[in-house]
Amino acid sequence: MNERLMKTPEITPPTLTLRYPELGTGPISTDAYWKPEFYAQELEAIFKRAWLCVGRVEQAAAVGDFFVKKLPTFDMSIIVARGKDGTLRAFHNMCQHRGNHVELRAQGHCVGFTCPFHGWTYGLDGKLVGVPDAQGFFDLDKSTLSLKQVALDIWEGFVFINLDPNPCQSLVEFLGTHGRDLEGYAFERGTAVFEYEGTINCNWKCMIDSFCETYHVPILHKHSIKDTLAGPDNPHGRLIDIRLKTPHRTMSVWGNMAYQPNPVQGLAFKYAPGPSITSGAVDENSVLPKGLNETRAPNWSIDVSAFFPNWLIVMGSGMYFTHQMWPIAPNRVVWQMRGFLRPAQNAAQRFGQENSMVELRDAVLEDCNTLERIQSVLDQGLLKEFLYHDHELGLRHQYHVVKQWVDDYAKARA
Amino acid sequence: MAKNQQTHRLKFAAAQLERDGARRPRCWYRHLDPSDGDCYAENAIGVHPHNQAQQTPFQEIPLARRKNHDELPEPFSGLDKWVPDWALPDSTARFKKRRCTSLAEIRAFYDALLPQADAILKYLSTRQLGTLTPPEGKLLKLMLSLAEMGPAIEWYGTENHPEAFDGRRFPLVVTLADMSPQPGAHT
């Protein structure tokens, strides 16, 4: 056997799905990807009950700092504010008098919130502190008129909320081993933040699916990332591994260690503040948590960690980015992609950052026309079933988890 | 206006026209971008509607400043001519520039910058964000345009990539500043 073949790590054979016999191997009904009745159930059973990521602690680091997160799914506005006691709290952005938003800025610093309609004022802890001309009201009890609080908890610096007033699980329970296995990653070092946002005409789950398999990489991304995430030693874009930590999952993505970058790209790798995702480089100084590249494969590039229901972290050893999908209709989704790069230590590294940002955007935009074409076919009711490859296990898993949450909720209410 | 000043002005405009002759008709409007200090950035792609009326071939920008505007640090002064069209205000403007520029023009810029790119980056790696002089800032902005144009040449090599999704539908809503120091640096 020649030396190269001996060195080439073996590509994972098609047996991943067989590890999870409860998921089966058959075709999957497409009903969940376009039917309005199912969509309505998803909102109630999932989006009003699961923990949803809304930001990072750095966005409200000091007492009096706040940020406002819009949840497109419910056309809802949530304030996250750090109180005088140092505690982060989340509130519905809603005055208790007539319902107007009390904070109109996206972020800032304040001593409290004043409704711009009639001037009712609330403290950072949400308590109603001032009502102009209060004696004109009847039986006004300020102590019962605080801003309506939303359950909030923090994991690794990420702020999660739960719209259920009495969440059935704590955040720790909800994240389970999936969360525990990723603890210790240097999330806080990604201080150079950028974000893209757009509305794509497809079901929210299809959008998530497009980042959960790399079977399409050698074909759809043939101009861009084919040679980094697939390549001659992995021509069909197989994954290294998939680990289901229901309801969450992680896909470990293969990387071409022999990749020779293009000229500008190569300069961007050289002058990057941390290893770029497509560079194949690994930050030797980073201690990777157990759950990142869990099989410790040498030919690893990134992990796609899917947090049920609508949040993904794509993690390399030196940078990461997140996708969040907010359904607004059975066939429309608001997609937010936020990048977290290491800060530029000099002016040249700003160039490396720009190229990372641009390549990431270009590559993910290649997925979007396909998604919209698929959705138009689904909306016509033409395609009844999806057939999943072994390495599309992540898609099969998402379907089963969503179905499970919807069914369990319906049963509990029956 | 004194007569010699007028002559000088016309000469400058003529030189400018000659310099730009080979390229597409350019927009002469210059836009003062408050986010980047004393930086005149060429609005090379289009003109904001409320500025339409100001579109005129002769700008009321003092010549001395205009000249200074195009200057790069001495070792790279051979690239000065790229500054007016390619030193742009921010990432959004650069993406727009890429979408609105022919591949031939992108390639001309790419080919001009690439041979010196490593030397430029070595130079910039000795400079700190937040302390750049105007010529250094222009140099960085040219390189940021190169970062944006790279994939157009190196990945796609075509203006009409079949899977190209309309980039206007996926805008930056939080952007990295071009020249400000970044939180967490040097810790």
Side-chain angles (χ1 to χ4, degrees), chain A residues 191 264 344-345 362 366 372, chain B residues 98 154 156 169 182-183 186:
Chain A
T191 54
V264 166
Q345 303 292 350
D362 282 359
E366 291 171 353
E372 294 195 340
Chain B
R98 179 167 141 195
E154 298 176 352
Y156 302 114
R169 290 181 53 191
Q182 297 179 350
H186 303 291

Side-chain angles (χ1 to χ4, degrees), chain A residues 191-201 220 223-224 262-265 267 270-271 335 343-348 350-351 353-355 357-359 361-362 365-366 368-370 372-373, chain B residues 91 94-95 98 110 114 117-118 121-122 124-125 127-129 132 140 143-144 146-148 150-151 154-156 161 163-165 169-174 176-178 182-186:
Chain A
T191 54
V193 178
F194 61 88
E195 183 171 350
Y196 291 91
E197 183 180 306
T199 301
I200 310 296
N201 298 322
L220 185 69
H223 297 293
S224 55
N262 295 308
V264 166
Q265 192 182 38
L267 289 168
K270 183 172 168 186
Y271 293 97
W335 168 34
Q345 303 292 350
N346 57 57
R350 181 65 190 80
F351 165 84
Q353 289 177 333
E354 188 79 356
N355 191 252
M357 196 163 99
V358 164
E359 291 202 341
R361 179 205 67 211
D362 282 359
L365 286 185
E366 291 171 353
C368 295
N369 285 333
T370 298
E372 294 195 340
R373 288 194 293 256
Chain B
S91 302
R94 289 187 284 272
F95 186 28
R98 179 167 141 195
Y110 177 94
L114 190 61
D118 198 23
L121 289 167
K122 246 181 224 130
L124 289 175
S125 67
R127 301 294 192 274
Q128 300 308 310
L129 291 173
L132 302 182
L140 173 58
M143 289 306 292
L144 295 178
L146 183 65
E148 172 67 60
E154 298 176 352
W155 276 1
Y156 302 114
H161 168 46
E163 286 300 344
F165 186 76
R169 290 181 53 191
F170 198 55
L172 270 174
V173 292
V174 176
L176 283 181
D178 285 353
Q182 297 179 350
H186 303 291

Side-chain angles (χ1 to χ4, degrees), chain B residues 65-115:
Chain B
R65 289 185 66 185
R66 170 62 201 262
K67 190 166 182 300
N68 184 46
H69 167 67
D70 290 350
E71 254 172 26
L72 293 173
E74 204 280 324
F76 309 107
S77 57
L79 297 171
D80 283 359
K81 72 162 185 164
W82 299 98
V83 171
D85 278 352
W86 294 90
L88 298 166
D90 55 25
S91 302
T92 298
R94 289 187 284 272
F95 186 28
K96 190 172 178 188
K97 173 81 171 165
R98 179 167 141 195
R99 296 198 306 268
C100 301
T101 305
S102 75
L103 192 71
E105 283 176 279
I106 292 176
R107 190 178 293 281
F109 170 72
Y110 177 94
D111 289 346
L113 268 279
L114 190 61

Side-chain angles (χ1 to χ4, degrees), chain A residues 15-24 242-245 393:
Chain A
T15 55
L16 297 172
T17 308
L18 302 181
R19 291 185 204 162
Y20 305 97
E22 68 279 15
L23 301 185
I242 302 183
R243 293 169 301 284
L244 305 185
K245 299 176 183 179
L393 168 62

